[in-house]
Amino acid sequence: MAGSRLPRRLFLQGVAAVFMFAFASLYSQIPGLYGPEGILPARKTLRPQGKGRWQQLWETPTLLWEAPRLGLDTAQGLELLSLLGALLALGALLLSPLRHPVVYLLLWAAYLSACQVGQVFLYFQWDSLLLETGFLAVLVAPLRPASHRKQAPQGGRAGALPHEDLPFWLVRWLLFRLMFASGVVKLTSRCPAWWGLTALTYHYETQCLPTPAAWFAHHLPVWLHKLSVVATFLIEIAVPPLFFAPIRRLRLAAFYSQVLLQVLIIITGNYNFFNLMTLVLTTALLDDQHLAAEPGHGSRKKTTTSWPKALLATLSLLLELAVYGLLAYGTVHYFGLEVDWQQRTIHSRTTFTFHQFSQWLKTLMLPTVWLGVASLAWELLSALWRWTQVRGWLRKFSAAVKLSLVSTATVALFLISLVPYSYVEPGTHGRLWTGAHRLFGAVEHLQLANSYGLFRRMTGLGGRPEVVLEGSYDGHHWMEIEFMYKPGNLSRPPPVVVPHQPRLDWQMWFAALGPHTHSPWFTSLVLRLLQGKEPVIRLIQSQVARYPFHKQPPTYVRAQRYKYWFSQPGEQGQWWRRQWVEEFFPPVSLGDPTLETLLRQFGLQDKSPPRARSANSTLAQALHWTRTQLSPLEAPALLWGLLVAIGAVRVVQALLAPWSLRSSPLALASGEKRRPAPHKDSGAASEQATPAPNPCTSSSRTARRKK
């Protein structure tokens, strides 16, 4: 396998970008969600239990325990963490010296701290995925930038250290777990829409926050929807084992299939930073040769190849073709694909039963674990071999210490991840080594490894359920309270808000799937609207003047459940159709016995006022000023503004890079030092590992000599 220096750099930049989006998106919603006048005040989640400081921190790992020492309440501490996290992530994205393990550890700790007080609004799989990926970034990030290292000797990989590829393998393993589990749970859930291959005839319409493109995708032919479901199963179940294929073209084919799936999801649905995070994980399938795209790479002089290498290349090609053929045959056989030339369609149907799939899963689940073990063992042996090539006993000892630590951490995280991975098949879960269970139990609360399974069941098969809030001054004339992002107004097109996640709108979608008692926070939302709390109103309409009760809070609030459908082509000015179903939440007013009973039942009553904090402290004033400056901006505009600014900085950096390289005295001096002995560099040889000669790295060596 070619080197992974460029993919690792791309991965670290991607993780920083996602952290920046996640922190910035969360920051814009903190007052309404977690402030003293928010839906679920964060101060209620951190109650000292009389335990020691370190025990308390271990059991509830959040830096917000220290907020009172700064004169801040929990919500203000969360604002501070989000701001610092966004700024630190922005720095790591733009400046390579900040892509350091300590920086990523701080980002991970800050987001874990937020999740500890985030309650139901931070209980999403992508929040767990970001935490797990962020911790892997701590291990992947180099202690020293590659530019500070000596050049590798001829035949070696530039800047390659024996242990560097090991943590990056865990990223590939995480991508495998995410995709494979997401595909399997669709079938183990026994959802009739997935088994009948009709899931996408509902998905675009019933997903939480569709985009305008979802309307057009929804009206595609049914046969194409069913074929798309078949392709989804192929990409999520059959392709992921190829992540560990020894043939790089198979890994690249797997990479592009995953990218295609994620891009299509981004186009048709607002899934905040989840798909961006998945795209970041796919960098583990790439290598330096594929990303370098060096000029003249394809015009190398042809050299005579020995017959063993030619035979190996031929066998690799035959194996690659056999894999493609097997995937094609399996897809046609198990999904009964038939071409109807007269109607110009492709018919598809599931030809296997749930029992057959369950037996197949039992048979295959353990081999996938052993596939991971074998792939990790190969990475460990490769790292050990690179270590043997390090020269100089002092450097060899240093490399051995680093390799031992990183190898131990990699194996430990792999063992921990096996426990949540095996949840999809209970039989395999019970047969795992008990040591893995104990190890996972000890660190489970740190979310170092999590179980995944997206789109397990298709909801809204009879129409998209939607909760519509209404307010009134007299209890007879009601006005609808329209949200910024979720469906409501029939003539308003679906928005595009990626990478922002409006967490209240998302929870409103989940609330519509059941009675309001399954979503206790909804009662608190009703209370805050009756009280006219501006932080909560800004979650619904960032421009308060657009809120129908901005002058005076409503006397009564109620909620109705509707079913929504996309409009049909030809219905001018309409994006949605809807039908009333039932009352979701009864009409209540302040002091209403029904409201008071629900608040008491769910423990949402404010039994004690918030502790007084010094509002005159410099830090509190700085936070208030920052909030005042940013509050007029809608969250998507803020995130897109960050994206544009980053793009502008990148362009400037690209323009200035050649000039800075030419004018740098250090660069000139180092170039002069290299010229006398281009083929012999004993210092570099002793500093870096010298892997076996690899044709994949020859072009990069040529480019380095020219520079």
Side-chain angles (χ1 to χ4, degrees), residues 617-662:
S617 69
T618 305
L619 189 54
Q621 288 179 346
L623 289 173
H624 177 72
W625 181 85
T626 305
R627 173 68 61 186
T628 304
Q629 300 303 310
L630 296 178
S631 59
L633 292 175
E634 290 189 15
L638 175 63
L639 269 62
W640 295 336
L642 280 173
L643 198 58
V644 171
I646 291 168
V649 172
R650 282 294 187 194
V651 170
V652 173
Q653 287 179 333
L655 292 175
L656 294 179
W659 180 85
S660 61
L661 285 175
R662 288 195 301 267

Side-chain angles (χ1 to χ4, degrees), residues 25 78 237 312 353 379 436 487:
S25 175
L78 187 56
I237 298 179
L312 183 61
T353 65
E379 293 290 339

Side-chain angles (χ1 to χ4, degrees), residues 55-75:
Q55 182 182 359
Q56 183 175 260
L57 183 62
W58 174 253
E59 293 180 356
T60 307
T62 174
L63 299 175
L64 295 175
W65 287 114
E66 304 302 315
R69 297 175 181 270
L70 301 175
L72 305 175
D73 62 24
T74 306

Side-chain angles (χ1 to χ4, degrees), residues 646-693:
I646 291 168
V649 172
R650 282 294 187 194
V651 170
V652 173
Q653 287 179 333
L655 292 175
L656 294 179
W659 180 85
S660 61
L661 285 175
R662 288 195 301 267
S663 60
S664 171
L666 182 62
L668 294 174
S670 61
E672 291 172 0
K673 288 180 181 179
R674 289 195 195 101
R675 286 193 195 104
H679 298 293
K680 293 182 181 180
D681 189 349
S682 58
S686 60
E687 171 72 21
Q688 305 295 341
T690 311

